[in-house]
PDB file of all heavy atoms in Angstrom:
ATOM      1  N   LYS A 165       3.958   2.734 -15.715  1.00  0.00           N
ATOM      2  CA  LYS A 165       5.193   3.381 -16.095  1.00  0.00           C
ATOM      3  C   LYS A 165       5.756   2.739 -17.361  1.00  0.00           C
ATOM      4  O   LYS A 165       5.418   1.590 -17.613  1.00  0.00           O
ATOM      5  CB  LYS A 165       6.180   3.335 -14.940  1.00  0.00           C
ATOM      6  CG  LYS A 165       6.945   2.001 -14.805  1.00  0.00           C
ATOM      7  CD  LYS A 165       8.017   2.151 -13.766  1.00  0.00           C
ATOM      8  CE  LYS A 165       9.339   1.692 -14.244  1.00  0.00           C
ATOM      9  NZ  LYS A 165       9.601   0.286 -14.320  1.00  0.00           N
ATOM     10  N   HIS A 195       4.362   0.855  -8.482  1.00  0.00           N
ATOM     11  CA  HIS A 195       4.020  -0.301  -7.638  1.00  0.00           C
ATOM     12  C   HIS A 195       4.745  -0.261  -6.286  1.00  0.00           C
ATOM     13  O   HIS A 195       4.331  -0.929  -5.352  1.00  0.00           O
ATOM     14  CB  HIS A 195       4.214  -1.623  -8.379  1.00  0.00           C
ATOM     15  CG  HIS A 195       5.619  -2.124  -8.434  1.00  0.00           C
ATOM     16  ND1 HIS A 195       6.526  -1.691  -9.347  1.00  0.00           N
ATOM     17  CD2 HIS A 195       6.270  -3.030  -7.666  1.00  0.00           C
ATOM     18  CE1 HIS A 195       7.676  -2.306  -9.156  1.00  0.00           C
ATOM     19  NE2 HIS A 195       7.554  -3.132  -8.134  1.00  0.00           N
ATOM     20  N   TYR A 196       5.803   0.569  -6.159  1.00  0.00           N
ATOM     21  CA  TYR A 196       6.464   0.670  -4.850  1.00  0.00           C
ATOM     22  C   TYR A 196       5.514   1.206  -3.783  1.00  0.00           C
ATOM     23  O   TYR A 196       5.612   0.855  -2.613  1.00  0.00           O
ATOM     24  CB  TYR A 196       7.751   1.500  -4.942  1.00  0.00           C
ATOM     25  CG  TYR A 196       8.942   0.586  -5.109  1.00  0.00           C
ATOM     26  CD1 TYR A 196       8.981  -0.297  -6.189  1.00  0.00           C
ATOM     27  CD2 TYR A 196       9.975   0.544  -4.187  1.00  0.00           C
ATOM     28  CE1 TYR A 196      10.024  -1.189  -6.340  1.00  0.00           C
ATOM     29  CE2 TYR A 196      11.027  -0.348  -4.333  1.00  0.00           C
ATOM     30  CZ  TYR A 196      11.039  -1.211  -5.408  1.00  0.00           C
ATOM     31  OH  TYR A 196      12.063  -2.112  -5.550  1.00  0.00           O
ATOM     32  N   LYS A 199       3.591  -1.408  -1.809  1.00  0.00           N
ATOM     33  CA  LYS A 199       4.281  -2.320  -0.894  1.00  0.00           C
ATOM     34  C   LYS A 199       3.939  -1.954   0.553  1.00  0.00           C
ATOM     35  O   LYS A 199       3.997  -0.786   0.927  1.00  0.00           O
ATOM     36  CB  LYS A 199       5.803  -2.249  -1.104  1.00  0.00           C
ATOM     37  CG  LYS A 199       6.251  -2.813  -2.443  1.00  0.00           C
ATOM     38  CD  LYS A 199       7.759  -2.777  -2.571  1.00  0.00           C
ATOM     39  CE  LYS A 199       8.214  -3.097  -3.974  1.00  0.00           C
ATOM     40  NZ  LYS A 199       8.254  -4.512  -4.309  1.00  0.00           N
ATOM     41  N   GLU A 233      19.561  -5.280  -6.934  1.00  0.00           N
ATOM     42  CA  GLU A 233      18.937  -6.459  -7.553  1.00  0.00           C
ATOM     43  C   GLU A 233      20.031  -7.397  -8.043  1.00  0.00           C
ATOM     44  O   GLU A 233      21.072  -6.943  -8.513  1.00  0.00           O
ATOM     45  CB  GLU A 233      18.072  -6.037  -8.735  1.00  0.00           C
ATOM     46  CG  GLU A 233      16.877  -5.201  -8.330  1.00  0.00           C
ATOM     47  CD  GLU A 233      15.964  -4.915  -9.518  1.00  0.00           C
ATOM     48  OE1 GLU A 233      16.400  -4.225 -10.450  1.00  0.00           O
ATOM     49  OE2 GLU A 233      14.830  -5.389  -9.501  1.00  0.00           O
ATOM     50  N   ARG A 240      14.403  -8.247 -21.463  1.00  0.00           N
ATOM     51  CA  ARG A 240      13.827  -6.909 -21.661  1.00  0.00           C
ATOM     52  C   ARG A 240      14.796  -5.927 -22.330  1.00  0.00           C
ATOM     53  O   ARG A 240      14.706  -4.715 -22.107  1.00  0.00           O
ATOM     54  CB  ARG A 240      13.393  -6.350 -20.303  1.00  0.00           C
ATOM     55  CG  ARG A 240      12.305  -7.193 -19.639  1.00  0.00           C
ATOM     56  CD  ARG A 240      11.579  -6.405 -18.587  1.00  0.00           C
ATOM     57  NE  ARG A 240      12.499  -5.878 -17.589  1.00  0.00           N
ATOM     58  CZ  ARG A 240      12.247  -4.829 -16.816  1.00  0.00           C
ATOM     59  NH1 ARG A 240      11.118  -4.183 -16.927  1.00  0.00           N
ATOM     60  NH2 ARG A 240      13.125  -4.425 -15.919  1.00  0.00           N
ATOM     61  N   TYR A 243      13.406  -2.740 -24.160  1.00  0.00           N
ATOM     62  CA  TYR A 243      12.945  -1.693 -23.245  1.00  0.00           C
ATOM     63  C   TYR A 243      14.118  -1.070 -22.494  1.00  0.00           C
ATOM     64  O   TYR A 243      14.268   0.149 -22.414  1.00  0.00           O
ATOM     65  CB  TYR A 243      11.930  -2.292 -22.259  1.00  0.00           C
ATOM     66  CG  TYR A 243      11.813  -1.518 -20.959  1.00  0.00           C
ATOM     67  CD1 TYR A 243      11.118  -0.313 -20.921  1.00  0.00           C
ATOM     68  CD2 TYR A 243      12.417  -1.976 -19.786  1.00  0.00           C
ATOM     69  CE1 TYR A 243      11.034   0.418 -19.735  1.00  0.00           C
ATOM     70  CE2 TYR A 243      12.339  -1.260 -18.611  1.00  0.00           C
ATOM     71  CZ  TYR A 243      11.644  -0.066 -18.591  1.00  0.00           C
ATOM     72  OH  TYR A 243      11.566   0.664 -17.425  1.00  0.00           O
ATOM     73  N   TYR A 244      14.992  -1.923 -21.943  1.00  0.00           N
ATOM     74  CA  TYR A 244      16.009  -1.425 -21.012  1.00  0.00           C
ATOM     75  C   TYR A 244      17.067  -0.576 -21.710  1.00  0.00           C
ATOM     76  O   TYR A 244      17.564   0.405 -21.148  1.00  0.00           O
ATOM     77  CB  TYR A 244      16.662  -2.590 -20.261  1.00  0.00           C
ATOM     78  CG  TYR A 244      17.273  -2.141 -18.952  1.00  0.00           C
ATOM     79  CD1 TYR A 244      16.500  -2.066 -17.791  1.00  0.00           C
ATOM     80  CD2 TYR A 244      18.595  -1.739 -18.874  1.00  0.00           C
ATOM     81  CE1 TYR A 244      17.041  -1.619 -16.608  1.00  0.00           C
ATOM     82  CE2 TYR A 244      19.149  -1.294 -17.679  1.00  0.00           C
ATOM     83  CZ  TYR A 244      18.362  -1.234 -16.552  1.00  0.00           C
ATOM     84  OH  TYR A 244      18.897  -0.783 -15.367  1.00  0.00           O
ATOM     85  N   ASP A 252      14.308   3.572 -15.183  1.00  0.00           N
ATOM     86  CA  ASP A 252      13.595   2.350 -14.809  1.00  0.00           C
ATOM     87  C   ASP A 252      13.254   2.322 -13.306  1.00  0.00           C
ATOM     88  O   ASP A 252      12.179   1.873 -12.918  1.00  0.00           O
ATOM     89  CB  ASP A 252      14.457   1.130 -15.169  1.00  0.00           C
ATOM     90  CG  ASP A 252      13.741  -0.180 -14.913  1.00  0.00           C
ATOM     91  OD1 ASP A 252      12.592  -0.306 -15.364  1.00  0.00           O
ATOM     92  OD2 ASP A 252      14.317  -1.067 -14.261  1.00  0.00           O
ATOM     93  N   MET A 253      14.148   2.791 -12.473  1.00  0.00           N
ATOM     94  CA  MET A 253      13.944   2.638 -11.018  1.00  0.00           C
ATOM     95  C   MET A 253      14.092   3.947 -10.235  1.00  0.00           C
ATOM     96  O   MET A 253      13.374   4.180  -9.278  1.00  0.00           O
ATOM     97  CB  MET A 253      14.999   1.683 -10.429  1.00  0.00           C
ATOM     98  CG  MET A 253      14.845   0.243 -10.763  1.00  0.00           C
ATOM     99  SD  MET A 253      13.434  -0.571  -9.995  1.00  0.00           S
ATOM    100  CE  MET A 253      13.717  -0.295  -8.290  1.00  0.00           C
ATOM    101  N   HIS A 257      10.376   4.879  -8.686  1.00  0.00           N
ATOM    102  CA  HIS A 257      10.247   4.142  -7.420  1.00  0.00           C
ATOM    103  C   HIS A 257      11.100   4.763  -6.306  1.00  0.00           C
ATOM    104  O   HIS A 257      10.639   4.963  -5.188  1.00  0.00           O
ATOM    105  CB  HIS A 257      10.687   2.685  -7.586  1.00  0.00           C
ATOM    106  CG  HIS A 257       9.964   1.947  -8.670  1.00  0.00           C
ATOM    107  ND1 HIS A 257       8.626   2.114  -8.922  1.00  0.00           N
ATOM    108  CD2 HIS A 257      10.388   1.023  -9.560  1.00  0.00           C
ATOM    109  CE1 HIS A 257       8.266   1.313  -9.928  1.00  0.00           C
ATOM    110  NE2 HIS A 257       9.322   0.651 -10.331  1.00  0.00           N
ATOM    111  N   LYS A 356      21.567  -3.345 -11.164  1.00  0.00           N
ATOM    112  CA  LYS A 356      21.268  -4.730 -11.528  1.00  0.00           C
ATOM    113  C   LYS A 356      22.554  -5.532 -11.328  1.00  0.00           C
ATOM    114  O   LYS A 356      23.661  -4.984 -11.403  1.00  0.00           O
ATOM    115  CB  LYS A 356      20.866  -4.830 -13.000  1.00  0.00           C
ATOM    116  CG  LYS A 356      19.657  -3.981 -13.378  1.00  0.00           C
ATOM    117  CD  LYS A 356      18.380  -4.772 -13.294  1.00  0.00           C
ATOM    118  CE  LYS A 356      17.189  -3.982 -13.779  1.00  0.00           C
ATOM    119  NZ  LYS A 356      15.949  -4.329 -13.079  1.00  0.00           N
ATOM    120  N   ARG A 361      19.769  -9.221  -3.352  1.00  0.00           N
ATOM    121  CA  ARG A 361      18.543  -8.468  -3.591  1.00  0.00           C
ATOM    122  C   ARG A 361      18.128  -7.820  -2.276  1.00  0.00           C
ATOM    123  O   ARG A 361      17.815  -8.515  -1.304  1.00  0.00           O
ATOM    124  CB  ARG A 361      17.426  -9.392  -4.081  1.00  0.00           C
ATOM    125  CG  ARG A 361      16.096  -8.680  -4.219  1.00  0.00           C
ATOM    126  CD  ARG A 361      15.022  -9.563  -4.830  1.00  0.00           C
ATOM    127  NE  ARG A 361      13.773  -8.826  -4.943  1.00  0.00           N
ATOM    128  CZ  ARG A 361      12.713  -9.016  -4.151  1.00  0.00           C
ATOM    129  NH1 ARG A 361      12.740  -9.950  -3.208  1.00  0.00           N
ATOM    130  NH2 ARG A 361      11.624  -8.287  -4.299  1.00  0.00           N
ATOM    131  N   THR A 363      16.215  -3.987  -0.705  1.00  0.00           N
ATOM    132  CA  THR A 363      15.787  -2.591  -0.786  1.00  0.00           C
ATOM    133  C   THR A 363      15.691  -2.076   0.641  1.00  0.00           C
ATOM    134  O   THR A 363      14.981  -2.664   1.467  1.00  0.00           O
ATOM    135  CB  THR A 363      14.400  -2.474  -1.457  1.00  0.00           C
ATOM    136  OG1 THR A 363      14.507  -2.979  -2.775  1.00  0.00           O
ATOM    137  CG2 THR A 363      13.931  -1.034  -1.512  1.00  0.00           C
ATOM    138  N   GLN A 394      12.387  -4.805   1.463  1.00  0.00           N
ATOM    139  CA  GLN A 394      12.301  -6.194   0.997  1.00  0.00           C
ATOM    140  C   GLN A 394      13.692  -6.774   0.811  1.00  0.00           C
ATOM    141  O   GLN A 394      14.618  -5.984   0.571  1.00  0.00           O
ATOM    142  CB  GLN A 394      11.535  -6.276  -0.326  1.00  0.00           C
ATOM    143  CG  GLN A 394      12.231  -5.504  -1.430  1.00  0.00           C
ATOM    144  CD  GLN A 394      11.418  -5.377  -2.703  1.00  0.00           C
ATOM    145  OE1 GLN A 394      10.217  -5.480  -2.691  1.00  0.00           O
ATOM    146  NE2 GLN A 394      12.074  -5.158  -3.813  1.00  0.00           N
TER     147      GLN A 394
HETATM  148  C1  BG6 B   1      10.187  -2.511 -12.177  1.00  0.00           C
HETATM  149  C2  BG6 B   1      11.407  -2.368 -13.054  1.00  0.00           C
HETATM  150  O1  BG6 B   1       9.417  -1.332 -12.213  1.00  0.00           O
HETATM  151  O2  BG6 B   1      10.578  -2.774 -10.847  1.00  0.00           O
HETATM  152  C3  BG6 B   1      12.279  -3.602 -12.964  1.00  0.00           C
HETATM  153  O3  BG6 B   1      11.018  -2.137 -14.404  1.00  0.00           O
HETATM  154  C4  BG6 B   1      12.588  -3.917 -11.524  1.00  0.00           C
HETATM  155  O4  BG6 B   1      13.477  -3.427 -13.709  1.00  0.00           O
HETATM  156  C5  BG6 B   1      11.325  -3.964 -10.700  1.00  0.00           C
HETATM  157  O5  BG6 B   1      13.273  -5.160 -11.477  1.00  0.00           O
HETATM  158  C6  BG6 B   1      11.633  -4.133  -9.232  1.00  0.00           C
HETATM  159  O6  BG6 B   1      10.450  -4.350  -8.536  1.00  0.00           O
HETATM  160  P1  BG6 B   1      10.450  -5.145  -7.157  1.00  0.00           P
HETATM  161  O7  BG6 B   1       9.047  -5.052  -6.682  1.00  0.00           O
HETATM  162  O8  BG6 B   1      10.911  -6.538  -7.476  1.00  0.00           O
HETATM  163  O9  BG6 B   1      11.426  -4.426  -6.275  1.00  0.00           O
END
Side-chain angles (χ1 to χ4, degrees):
K165 81 172 230 284
H195 81 277
Y196 264 58
K199 292 183 190 279
E233 294 186 295
R240 298 200 304 157
Y243 156 76
Y244 203 86
D252 185 50
M253 288 290 303
H257 304 321
K356 302 266 185 212
R361 175 174 180 254
T363 298
Q394 62 189 23

